[in-house]
Amino acid sequence: MAIISCGSTRVTWWRVQPQLTLRSSVSDSLSTSVHCSPKRITSLASQSSTFLSKKPLNELFSSAPYIKPCQRRGARLVVRASKDYYSVLGVSRNANKSEIKSAYRKLARSYHPDVNKEPGAEQKFKDISNAYEVLSDDEKRSIYDKYGEDGLKGAGMGMGDFGNAFDIFESLFEGMGGMGGSGGMGGRGSRNRATEGEDQVYNLVLNFKEAVFGVEKEIEITRLESCSTCDGSGAKPGSTPSKCNTCGGQGQVISSARTPLGVFQQVMTCSTCGGSGEISTPCSTCGGDGRSRKSKRISLKVPAGVDSGSRLRVRSEGNAGRRGGPPGDLFVMIDVRPDPVLKRDDTNILYMCKVSYIDAILGTTMKVPTVDGMVDLKIPAGTQPGTTLVMAKKGVPLLNKRNMRGDQLVKVQVEIPKRVSGEEKKLIEELANLKKEKAPSGRR
């Protein structure tokens, strides 16, 4: 019922509420002054009145014969703007069902709350679904085109709620991989579907050579496994689940807060049922989780070439999923203990070699440690302090390429004695004198 005041006279109109057709660019509310005379009020109540005809109401107020200003002030008619469903879906007013369906699918994928976590995405998804619900139905679309959103309400066709938005989505995407029907996205149905288990992390410490050449380790982990008492359902065997009274079986609750900027709504997982929408007597073994914690020993093969910070992934060795969902993965974090002699630089191994000044002058062969054991290294005659010698393919194997290895880089450090014996000093002096005698002849 709508009541329009014109001066001291009121006209009552039943069934369909008056509304001006507005676009989304118009502000949320619009005030229009309507001035009428007693003669015009009589015509409004006649059988040919626009209130009782099939013409749009905006023609009533825009037609010149019916708008004649009076000397006295009339009342104000406040008309609230409604959403333009064509603009919401981004289609023209003469779009066919195929175009409307295609536009809805594209927008629903982008704004589904399971994919889009931005603020306002859930409300946008609801608006898109409501627009599609109306425009995809011939009867609702006809009423909407004539009378707008309020016309639908006056005809007893309420708009869908948030749960209904999910129903529309699932009806279109059921059976399409990753959309609604097969997991990952969806509304009330998906909350009762299987969910993947959480990943587990295990820290593994290796020594230097184990990291270089790889090793097979047996580790013990503690994880959540499907409860054997309730078969993972979380309910006491023999009990029957009932609909959650808090969320009404939706699995989500909506909280509203009125602010100076408008009403803000937040959708949260129901704390009573945990998002399942059902309440049941919990299993005494797992406490209703459907999973219980157990220990397990698994054999782990560490590839050659790992280093501190490397991460290994063992599939399906994480926590079990809920309601029969797939298990998560086990991630093994590698930590390598340093070697007291050898240092690592990516795939190369570094070693500092000390030689006497005599060996540096005359050259020698000496044994140096490597990851393969002690190996002979030739020190060329006349080796200068700080020289780096390369031992090819004595480094670390490339990860997942065991036949390719880095090098061992040996840096030569020449030791100069601080004290020498009398005999050594005499020999060094003779060597120095010999060098002085040869110097003039060398210049000639």
Side-chain angles (χ1 to χ4, degrees):
M1 179 182 71
I3 299 176
I4 301 178
S5 299
C6 294
S8 60
T9 306
R10 294 187 177 183
V11 177
T12 302
W13 175 45
W14 294 87
R15 291 188 62 80
V16 182
Q17 298 180 7
Q19 175 187 346
L20 291 180
T21 302
L22 302 176
R23 293 293 182 263
S24 57
S25 60
V26 183
S27 59
D28 289 341
S29 61
L30 176 67
S31 298
T32 305
S33 299
V34 181
H35 304 284
C36 306
S37 64
K39 294 182 179 180
R40 292 293 168 253
I41 295 174
T42 303
S43 65
L44 290 177
S46 67
Q47 293 183 354
S48 60
S49 171
T50 305
F51 281 99
L52 302 178
S53 68
K54 296 184 179 180
K55 294 181 180 180
L57 296 179
N58 57 339
E59 294 184 10
L60 171 67
F61 300 104
S62 60
S63 301
Y66 288 90
I67 299 181
K68 184 178 291 185
C70 307
Q71 295 297 324
R72 60 182 179 181
R73 294 184 179 180
R76 282 177 173 263
L77 172 64
V78 179
V79 182
R80 185 171 300 276
S82 59
K83 292 184 177 65
D84 184 351
Y85 289 147
Y86 293 98
S87 298
V88 171
L89 293 181
V91 296
S92 62
R93 299 189 71 86
N94 58 353
N96 56 37
K97 283 189 174 183
S98 178
E99 293 172 336
I100 292 173
K101 187 175 183 178
S102 177
Y104 169 74
R105 279 184 171 180
K106 182 178 179 181
L107 293 172
R109 288 175 185 269
S110 301
Y111 289 98
H112 195 286
D114 289 351
V115 174
N116 194 328
K117 303 300 182 181
E118 295 181 0
E122 291 180 346
Q123 183 60 41
K124 181 69 173 178
F125 179 75
K126 178 182 177 182
D127 294 341
I128 294 168
S129 300
N130 284 343
Y132 176 75
E133 181 183 2
V134 172
L135 300 184
S136 62
D137 185 282
D138 292 336
E139 183 181 0
K140 291 183 180 180
R141 183 177 180 181
S142 176
I143 295 175
Y144 174 76
D145 289 342
K146 291 180 179 179
Y147 306 112
E149 185 177 351
D150 287 342
L152 293 170
K153 296 177 181 178
M157 298 181 180
M159 304 309 298
D161 58 10
F162 194 73
N164 192 39
F166 281 113
D167 293 339
I168 298 172
F169 180 87
E170 290 181 351
S171 67
L172 283 180
F173 290 101
E174 185 175 7
M176 301 178 63
M179 303 299 290
S182 59
M185 297 176 65
R188 292 173 293 181
S190 67
R191 298 186 193 107
N192 293 321
R193 296 191 186 113
T195 57
E196 185 177 0
E198 303 85 2
D199 296 330
Q200 286 279 78
V201 177
Y202 183 89
N203 295 317
L204 179 62
V205 180
L206 303 176
N207 63 41
F208 193 82
K209 288 188 177 181
E210 289 175 339
V212 171
F213 295 112
V215 66
E216 188 168 342
K217 291 274 191 178
E218 190 176 75
I219 62 176
E220 183 175 358
I221 61 173
T222 302
R223 64 180 185 177
L224 293 173
E225 297 184 0
S226 180
C227 178
S228 58
T229 303
C230 63
D231 293 330
S233 66
K236 183 180 179 180
S239 63
T240 302
S242 59
K243 184 170 67 173
C244 176
N245 294 326
T246 303
C247 62
Q250 296 294 324
Q252 292 179 329
V253 293
I254 303 176
S255 62
S256 301
R258 187 175 298 277
T259 70
L261 300 178
V263 178
F264 286 86
Q265 291 185 333
Q266 182 179 10
V267 180
M268 299 175 293
T269 300
C270 178
S271 59
T272 304
C273 63
S276 66
E278 296 177 341
I279 297 295
S280 58
T281 304
C283 171
S284 58
T285 302
C286 62
D289 184 63
R291 305 174 299 174
S292 57
R293 191 167 296 278
K294 296 181 180 179
S295 297
K296 181 184 178 181
R297 298 187 70 85
I298 63 174
S299 181
L300 178 66
K301 189 173 182 180
V302 181
V306 297
D307 200 358
S308 292
S310 296
R311 187 180 70 170
L312 306 180
R313 182 178 186 178
V314 186
R315 295 188 179 275
S316 302
E317 291 295 347
N319 290 334
R322 287 187 171 90
R323 300 179 184 87
D329 298 329
L330 173 66
F331 290 91
V332 181
M333 306 301 296
I334 302 297
D335 186 21
V336 181
R337 290 195 297 263
D339 187 89
V341 177
L342 303 176
K343 308 298 179 186
R344 181 171 172 176
D345 181 19
D346 197 11
T347 58
N348 293 328
I349 293 178
L350 310 179
Y351 176 71
M352 180 75 71
C353 177
K354 296 180 179 181
V355 299
S356 65
Y357 70 99
I358 300 296
D359 291 336
I361 294 172
L362 301 178
T364 187
T365 299
M366 59 187 307
K367 291 185 177 296
V368 297
T370 68
V371 291
D372 298 310
M374 300 300 292
V375 178
D376 290 337
L377 174 65
K378 183 178 180 180
I379 307 295
T383 298
Q384 301 298 309
T387 299
T388 298
L389 305 178
V390 178
M391 301 178 71
K393 296 185 179 180
K394 291 296 182 182
V396 181
L398 273 68
L399 194 61
N400 299 323
K401 296 181 180 179
R402 196 183 184 106
N403 59 335
M404 300 178 64
R405 293 180 63 176
D407 303 324
Q408 178 162 319
L409 307 179
V410 180
K411 188 174 183 179
V412 178
Q413 180 180 356
V414 180
E415 292 185 314
I416 307 296
K418 295 181 179 180
R419 295 182 181 180
V420 295
S421 63
E423 186 177 355
E424 288 177 331
K425 184 177 181 180
K426 183 178 180 181
L427 292 174
I428 294 172
E429 290 175 348
E430 291 179 0
L431 181 61
N433 292 332
L434 181 61
K435 189 174 182 180
K436 288 179 182 180
E437 292 176 358
K438 291 184 177 182
S441 60
R443 286 194 294 268
R444 295 172 190 168

